[in-house]
Amino acid sequence: MTAIEKLAFAVTSFAKMSEEEFKTSLPFWQERTFKKGEFYNERSHICKNLGFIIDGTFRSYIIEDKTGEEKNVFLYSSDQFVVSFKSFINQAPCDYHTQSMTDSTILYINIIDLLSLYQKSHQWERFGRLLAQEAFNIAMERSESFLFKTPEERYLDLIKHHPNIFNTVPLYHISSYLGIQGPSLSRIRKRLSGK
């Protein structure tokens, strides 16, 4: 499957969009590669692009003012959209960094081109609404997971949404995302592998 075919499958499946309607967006998508450690968007910058990950993994993280410690907030893997959504929608400075954790390739569309698609097409407008709902659900699930779920349940959710994460990302990044220390992650992995 080519990069555009992967994107077309994701968009048409996600938004129940016709292939003909998807094709109207083809002039707007551009490909970009990121080296490991390169930023997709930096804190205090405005996110202007919606990316679709063809290959690779990204993280969004904050830096604690007092300790200087990095804390991972969101993870994005292949076949998922990567975007600093609040910044993208409001065209306002972002509160966190989004960085490639591996060498990565994305297809991206600029906010101006996406808004023009929304104006011309009900199907693209629906895509935008569904994308906003998905971003809201991800943010709510993320915050509620720390209120209602055990570290083990958060770990299982991570595996479900990012099945190849352990092959590409160092364990300390995963520990940070799960909100636990490295030894706790090792115990969870050992316990679950024994089941």
Side-chain angles (χ1 to χ4, degrees), residues 18-88:
S18 70
E19 286 184 34
E20 294 72 27
E21 200 63 47
F22 172 77
K23 285 176 183 173
T24 64
S25 75
L26 287 177
F28 302 127
W29 293 96
Q30 298 179 65
E31 187 169 309
R32 180 171 170 196
T33 57
F34 290 81
K35 293 289 184 194
K36 180 180 178 181
E38 195 174 345
F39 287 101
Y40 177 81
N41 197 69
E42 292 184 72
R43 185 179 184 275
S44 79
H45 291 213
I46 296 172
C47 183
K48 297 182 185 301
N49 299 312
L50 171 68
F52 178 77
I53 304 170
I54 302 302
D55 184 39
T57 306
F58 291 79
R59 67 175 178 140
S60 289
Y61 68 96
I62 58 168
I63 301 174
E64 292 234 328
D65 290 335
K66 291 181 180 175
T67 63
E69 181 185 357
E70 295 178 1
K71 294 204 167 175
N72 293 327
V73 184
F74 298 109
L75 296 175
Y76 316 86
S77 299
S78 298
D79 301 325
Q80 295 178 341
F81 289 100
V82 56
V83 64
S84 301
F85 203 80
K86 188 171 82 168
S87 172
F88 183 72

Side-chain angles (χ1 to χ4, degrees), residues 91-111:
Q91 285 300 281
C94 188
D95 296 325
Y96 47 79
H97 298 284
T98 300
Q99 180 184 45
S100 184
M101 302 175 82
T102 61
D103 289 347
S104 303
T105 303
I106 68 165
L107 289 172
Y108 71 91
I109 188 168
N110 185 274
I111 181 74

Side-chain angles (χ1 to χ4, degrees), residues 138-165:
I138 289 168
M140 287 303 296
E141 283 177 16
R142 180 84 177 118
S143 57
E144 288 177 354
S145 72
F146 284 97
L147 294 172
F148 305 124
K149 293 187 175 181
T150 66
E152 188 169 303
E153 288 169 327
R154 291 199 298 275
Y155 171 87
L156 291 170
D157 283 345
L158 174 68
I159 298 296
K160 178 180 166 189
H161 295 293
H162 306 277
N164 297 317
I165 197 93

